[in-house]
Each structure stands twice: as structure tokens, then as C-alpha cells.
Amino acid sequence: MTSGYSAILLPQLQPEKKGPISVDPEQASWIASMAALPMATGCILGGILTEKFGRKSAHVLTCLPTLIGWLIIAFATNTSMLLVGRFVTGICTGMLGPATGVYIGETSEPKYRGFLLAGISFSVSLGLFLSHLLGTFLHWKTTALACSALPVVSLFLMLFVPESPSWLAKKGKIKKAENAFRWCRGASDSAKKELTIMLQRQNLQSQEKEKNLGEKLRELAEPEFLKPLGIIAVYIVANQWSGVNAITFYTVSIMKQTIGDGVNEYLAMLVVDVIRVLMSILACVLLRRLGRRPLAIVSGVGTTLALFTLSAFTYLVTVYPKVADESYIPLTALVAYISFISIGFVPLPWAMIGEIFPLRNRSVGSAISSFLAFTAFFSVVKTSPGMFSDLGPAGTFSIYGTVACLGTVFVAYFLPETKGRPLHEIEDEFRRTSKNVYTVTDNN
């Protein structure tokens, strides 16, 4: 809802609306990007909270400030209050970045992990749809009040779930770790085996002497950490620079530029949102049934073709204005773009953050990856108005399409397959390919 809110807020702040607050284009770009600006910093804070206090606790600690941020927006009387409220909700969103995927990855059974991690993307899509739906029919202040209910609900729900078993084991709370693991995973043979391996590894790590800062930094320079970090970093930046959040933040204005005046842009926005939600549900199913790599490649190819179609159409409109009458072409391409990017490019990087980093550096890897994601997020949201103004829709969509194409080629060569594999097997695979040494497994 934080990401989607600006799309319905900014049109209501235009001077012609004669509301209590009006903004010029420069102020509008700052209001939109102000939520994205602190998200990267929030990731660092979230990584610290996730490591020091636990994955669940990091979620709980963000609920109250998120509520305060939405209330500031709801009762704003000037642009400064809007910026403060957007900043607070943005930094809280960033703080959740490292904890969410890691918590789901550490508490879920391998065969269901992809499905559950894809729930992150589904929840984002649902939040976008709800904020756009409410904002289409309600005043922006009322919409902000509705959004403020979410952190309250979240706090209530989080009280009933345990802390991450892996984190508890890492902190030496073995009995609590065992109880939490059984609560999450039951007592099947595969679950017992994974619990035993997790505790064995934690026992070995606890016997190591306390590392100083230099040793910890050298640990982060090891290939078994840098390799997954590099893969996620490239993939997640390609994800952002494929333009999905630019379209999310400026949906209404982009609809006007791309489709023209012949289509109700608010209705088109809601149609796109519904498709995004449906595709996010489909992504959950596909991640349960298919591997990561095939889904990534299909998603990337479809996203690339849709963006180049949008680029070609908007260019032809400038040369042959009558082409603009065929508004179904850009709308179809936009729907295809949202569909393809929502089944792979959007959910996969966030899902794999919770899978591919080694346990001892999982919080750090997640924080760095989320930091890069939200930094790219901010850069896209802040620059997209200028790009659409200076390069036009054709040039902007062309750039986004090129990035999507390059990202697809990259993941086709380097993205590992993690479907159905326990986290310790994924960790061992990176260690073997990086160092070619034999490490502790369930066989020794």
C-alpha cells in the first residue's frame, strides 16, 4: 500500500482539484519517491534488528512506526507532513525487507518454500490493488486511514507465531529452537533430519572463537557469500530497472501518456491491478510446481517483448497519429507486461533472498540485497518522470526493455535452481562450487 499510494494521491493534489494541498511536478516527484528514498537505509536497520533481536521481532518493531507514518499522512495539512509520513512508512517498509524472506525461508518446508516466498509478491500486489481501489473512490486522507489498519492487524497476527528456529539456534537457545521448529514443521522424518543438521551446524559454529570485525569482513569476502550476493544483486537491479515500480508509482499518468484520452485511466489501472494480483497467485502456484530458472526465463522473455511493443507503439503514434486510435494494442502490451513480470521477475529475487545465503551471513546478505533493491527502486521512481518527459514513452520503455533483456540473459546463465532443496544443501552447493571442499552434511 505504501508503494501504490502515490498513484492515487498525486492526481488528487493537482492544482485544478482545488484541494487543501496542491503540488507542482517537482513536489509530486518528491512525494512519490520519498517513500522509496529511505527504504535502502531501512534495510540496513532491518538487517541489524533481524540479526540482533530476531526475524519475528524485526516485524513487530516496525508496526507502531508504520501506523504513525500513515496517521501523519491522513492528518497532513501541508506538503511537509506528506513528505514526513511518506518517509516514515518508506523506512519501515525497508526495515521489513531483510526479515520477511529470511523468516519465511527459515520456517517453511522445502517443498512449500517457493509457494510461501512468492506470497511476498502476492501481498505487494494485493496492497497495490487495495490502495488504488480505495483511492479511486475515497479521498486520499480516508485512504491513508484505511492503510493505517494494516500494521495493527500485522502486530496482532505476529503475536501468535514463533521466532525463527534458525535464529534461536544461532543464539544458543536450543530448546526454544526445537519447539519453534516443531511448531512450524511438525515431526516428520524429513523435518527431524533437517532439525538435526541445523543443530549440528550451529553446535560447530558455537565452538568457534568469537570473531573480530576484521575476521567478519573477511568472511563476507569469501566466494560462497559473494557468489549468491552477486547473482541476487544483478537480478534484483534488473528487476527494478525493468520499470515495474515506475509504472506502479505513476500508473495514472503513464496510462494517460501511453493509452491516451480514449480510456478511463483509473479503470485501466484497476484492471491492471487485478491482473497483477491474479498473476501473483499464479506465481505462487508455479513456484510450487516449476523450477526457478524456467520461470525466470519465461518471465524475462515475456517482459522484454511487452516493453519493446510498448516502445514501438508509442513511437509510431508520434509518426502516424492515427495509430493512437488502436488503444487496445498498448493496453494489451501493458497487461502482458504486468502478467509476465509478476510471475517471475518480481517474486523470484525476493524469494531467493531467503534461500541462497549461508546461515551465518543470511541477515547480512538479505540486508545488502534489500539495500541494493531499494536503492535501485528509488533511482527508478525518481528518474522516471524525467525520462518520460525527456525521452518520451518510446525511449523510456526501450531502456526498460533492454535492461529486462540483459537480466534475462544473465539469469539464464547464472541463476541456481533451488526448488525443493533444504537450505543446508543450497549452502553446501555454493561452498563446494566456490572452494571445492567437503563440508558437514547429513552424512557425517
Side-chain angles (χ1 to χ4, degrees):
M1 295 183 107
T2 298
S3 297
Y5 185 70
S6 64
I8 58 90
L9 170 66
L10 298 181
Q12 296 187 45
L13 298 182
Q14 297 306 307
E16 60 268 20
K17 297 293 184 180
K18 298 181 180 179
I21 303 176
S22 62
V23 298
D24 58 34
E26 179 63 19
Q27 290 173 319
S29 74
W30 275 110
I31 289 173
S33 58
M34 185 54 70
L37 176 64
M39 286 181 183
T41 303
C43 290
I44 303 300
L45 296 175
I48 295 171
L49 290 176
T50 300
E51 182 59 28
K52 188 171 181 62
F53 298 108
R55 286 57 158 141
K56 171 187 172 179
S57 299
H59 281 83
V60 171
L61 290 171
T62 62
C63 291
L64 180 59
T66 303
L67 172 63
I68 292 172
W70 279 115
L71 292 178
I72 291 173
I73 295 172
F75 294 100
T77 56
N78 53 55
T79 305
S80 297
M81 290 183 69
L82 286 176
L83 291 171
V84 170
R86 293 284 287 164
F87 183 91
V88 173
T89 54
I91 199 168
C92 290
T93 301
M95 289 168 67
L96 287 172
T100 306
V102 171
Y103 182 81
I104 296 173
E106 291 180 346
T107 55
S108 56
E109 191 170 350
K111 66 179 180 179
Y112 299 121
R113 191 173 61 234
F115 177 90
L116 295 172
L117 285 168
I120 299 172
S121 176
F122 167 71
S123 68
V124 172
S125 299
L126 184 61
L128 293 172
F129 169 68
L130 291 176
S131 60
H132 290 168
L133 179 66
L134 292 171
T136 298
F137 300 103
L138 301 176
H139 191 272
W140 58 267
K141 287 178 173 283
T142 308
T143 303
L145 281 174
C147 293
S148 70
L150 268 294
V152 178
V153 174
S154 177
L155 176 61
F156 176 76
L157 293 176
M158 289 299 294
L159 296 177
F160 294 96
V161 299
E163 182 54 81
S164 162
S166 298
W167 182 84
L168 290 170
K170 187 177 181 180
K171 295 300 180 180
K173 301 176 181 180
I174 304 302
K175 188 62 178 177
K176 288 184 177 180
E178 292 177 347
N179 292 336
F181 193 93
R182 292 191 184 98
W183 191 97
C184 295
R185 302 281 299 278
S188 66
D189 291 340
S190 61
K192 289 178 182 178
K193 179 186 289 188
E194 192 172 340
L195 174 61
T196 300
I197 295 171
M198 181 187 75
L199 294 178
Q200 284 177 347
R201 290 173 177 232
Q202 182 51 47
N203 183 51
L204 288 175
Q205 290 186 18
S206 64
Q207 294 175 9
E208 298 177 0
K209 66 183 182 73
E210 183 68 23
K211 295 181 176 65
N212 57 39
L213 180 60
E215 290 172 328
K216 290 180 179 179
L217 291 176
R218 283 193 293 273
E219 197 174 75
L220 296 181
E222 293 177 353
E224 65 197 71
F225 176 77
L226 290 180
K227 186 175 180 179
L229 178 62
I231 292 170
I232 287 294
V234 173
Y235 195 13
I236 213 162
V237 170
N239 163 299
Q240 294 296 328
W241 269 96
S242 295
V244 64
N245 284 305
I247 292 176
T248 296
F249 270 61
Y250 301 103
T251 303
V252 174
S253 59
I254 289 174
M255 287 286 185
K256 285 184 177 180
Q257 292 186 56
T258 306
I259 301 174
D261 297 327
V263 175
N264 184 318
E265 63 271 12
Y266 282 94
L267 176 60
M269 175 182 67
L270 292 176
V271 169
V272 168
D273 285 342
V274 170
I275 294 170
R276 194 197 318 260
V277 171
L278 294 176
M279 289 301 107
S280 296
I281 295 173
L282 179 60
C284 294
V285 176
L286 292 176
L287 279 172
R288 170 75 174 87
R289 296 179 178 274
L290 302 179
R292 311 297 191 251
R293 284 170 50 81
L295 197 56
I297 294 170
V298 170
S299 173
V301 171
T303 299
T304 301
L305 293 177
L307 285 168
F308 283 144
T309 300
L310 284 168
S311 176
F313 179 87
T314 50
Y315 173 76
L316 287 173
V317 167
T318 62
V319 180
Y320 306 104
K322 287 186 177 181
V323 175
D325 295 336
E326 310 297 330
S327 58
Y328 69 90
I329 296 177
L331 185 57
T332 301
L334 196 57
V335 168
Y337 167 74
I338 293 297
S339 298
F340 279 108
I341 204 169
S342 296
I343 63 170
F345 256 42
V346 170
L348 276 172
W350 293 101
M352 297 188 74
I353 282 177
E355 293 183 320
I356 69 174
F357 289 109
L359 174 60
R360 60 182 177 178
N361 302 126
R362 193 166 291 151
S363 296
V364 177
S366 179
I368 294 173
S369 301
S370 301
F371 174 85
L372 292 171
F374 286 122
T375 300
F377 182 1
F378 170 73
S379 68
V380 172
V381 172
K382 190 68 179 74
T383 58
S384 60
M387 290 175 65
F388 274 95
S389 175
D390 297 338
L391 303 177
T396 304
F397 287 133
S398 179
I399 290 174
Y400 292 159
T402 301
V403 173
C405 180
L406 294 175
T408 303
V409 173
F410 176 84
V411 299
Y413 279 97
F414 297 107
L415 192 71
E417 185 55 72
T418 59
K419 177 182 177 292
R421 301 176 65 187
L423 296 181
H424 66 268
E425 285 189 7
I426 300 170
E427 181 177 338
D428 284 347
E429 181 65 25
F430 276 112
R431 185 174 290 120
R432 281 193 292 268
T433 56
S434 300
K435 292 185 175 182
N436 196 28
V437 297
Y438 187 70
T439 55
V440 176
T441 69
D442 55 323
N443 293 322
N444 66 342

